[in-house]
Amino acid sequence: MEKAGRPLYDARVNRPLDCRRTRCNDHGRCVFAKVRGNAIGCRCEDPHFGNSCQYEPTTTTTTTPQTTPVSVQVCTLGSISSPQGCTVGSTCTYEASIQYNSTHIFINLMTTSTGWLGIGFSNDAFMPASDVYIASVDAGGAVTLENRYASARSAPTIDTDQDILSGESGTEFMGSGTEFMGQTTISFLRNRAVSDASKDFPFANGACYYWLGAWGSSDTLGYHGFGNRFASLTTICLDESSQCS
């Protein structure tokens, strides 16, 4: 019998029929008390507790997810501006710049007019057989952007294979366009790789093209005029080894 003040009896000495070790989930001794009507209970082994030794302390470890930054390297391909010798961001009538990563090119255009503006890529600095992008912003702020192909010295026709990245509806492009205080700015994306190389120019590593710039006085595509178009003096080449360092 236990000492006074601890009115519990070891079940091994005075064992009721239903006092078995399994009652304590194999984590303590089955005991019964004279008090409370000879109730059955368990004397649990550390660290277990509960009427049937069914519980044990648990350590909750909160793990903070480790976020590994994903670095998307953006490289600078080049830029053109007009008139020749103007100060970019200040005195230029037309500006175009391109950046790229491993999968896309990012094209930024600006002109100090409220009409259409465009950029083209050519193998010989002339308009025929060039890959062209024409954009405009109307008075309501809606942006129009089209991929066209120039087969001759005439208005480029719409390319059946639009390389411009579009949004969920397939009608809006992934970019932006604004017209403010007489200045039009357009930014958009296209894939570096193309599905129709006969009309679209791929931007693989080592690709070299002349850049063509043009703009007009109306949102409707029309003849740009002699003074509203130009070509880069040399080809501009995509070189990942030097432009991405």
Side-chain angles (χ1 to χ4, degrees):
M1 183 166 28
E2 301 282 353
K3 294 181 180 180
R6 301 181 64 187
L8 295 177
Y9 290 83
D10 193 326
R12 291 177 297 178
V13 177
N14 193 351
R15 183 191 303 269
L17 293 178
D18 61 348
C19 191
R20 300 176 294 275
R21 182 171 177 81
T22 53
R23 180 182 178 88
C24 300
N25 293 292
D26 290 326
H27 295 307
R29 292 183 297 168
C30 183
V31 295
F32 72 97
K34 283 188 174 182
V35 296
R36 301 189 306 276
N38 293 338
I40 301 298
C42 292
R43 177 167 291 170
C44 302
E45 301 168 349
D46 289 336
H48 299 85
F49 63 96
N51 292 336
S52 300
C53 302
Q54 70 270 38
Y55 303 120
E56 65 177 310
T58 58
T59 301
T60 302
T61 302
T62 302
T63 302
T64 303
Q66 299 298 313
T67 302
T68 302
V70 178
S71 176
V72 178
Q73 188 175 35
V74 177
C75 317
T76 300
L77 176 54
S79 62
I80 58 174
S81 58
S82 179
Q84 187 175 355
C86 67
T87 301
V88 173
S90 177
T91 63
C92 297
T93 301
Y94 174 98
E95 299 174 8
S97 63
I98 295 181
Q99 295 176 302
Y100 65 93
N101 61 16
S102 60
T103 56
H104 301 94
I105 62 173
F106 311 90
I107 301 176
N108 302 285
L109 306 176
M110 186 284 300
T111 183
T112 54
S113 75
T114 57
W116 63 267
L117 72 165
I119 187 171
F121 306 103
S122 167
N123 287 314
D124 57 11
F126 295 104
M127 186 174 176
S130 60
D131 185 14
V132 178
Y133 298 83
I134 303 295
S136 64
V137 181
D138 67 17
V143 179
T144 299
L145 177 64
E146 298 169 334
N147 180 201
R148 292 174 172 251
Y149 180 74
S151 58
R153 291 181 180 273
S154 58
T157 56
I158 295 179
D159 193 342
T160 55
D161 185 12
Q162 294 284 305
D163 285 324
I164 304 160
L165 297 186
S166 60
E168 292 181 359
S169 71
T171 58
E172 76 277 10
F173 72 95
M174 294 177 63
S176 63
T178 60
E179 192 173 272
F180 182 68
M181 296 184 65
Q183 178 173 297
T184 303
T185 303
I186 300 286
S187 300
F188 64 96
L189 290 76
R190 58 148 279 189
N191 292 319
R192 286 179 60 178
V194 298
S195 56
D196 180 12
S198 65
K199 293 183 178 180
D200 300 316
F201 285 33
F203 279 80
N205 190 36
C208 297
Y209 305 121
Y210 289 93
W211 293 13
L212 312 177
W215 60 99
S217 58
S218 169
D219 287 340
T220 302
L221 176 62
Y223 180 54
H224 43 63
F226 182 78
N228 291 359
R229 51 88 173 167
F230 70 106
S232 60
L233 299 177
T234 62
T235 58
I236 299 176
C237 301
L238 193 151
D239 182 2
E240 295 175 350
S241 63
S242 62
Q243 295 164 346
C244 301
S245 57

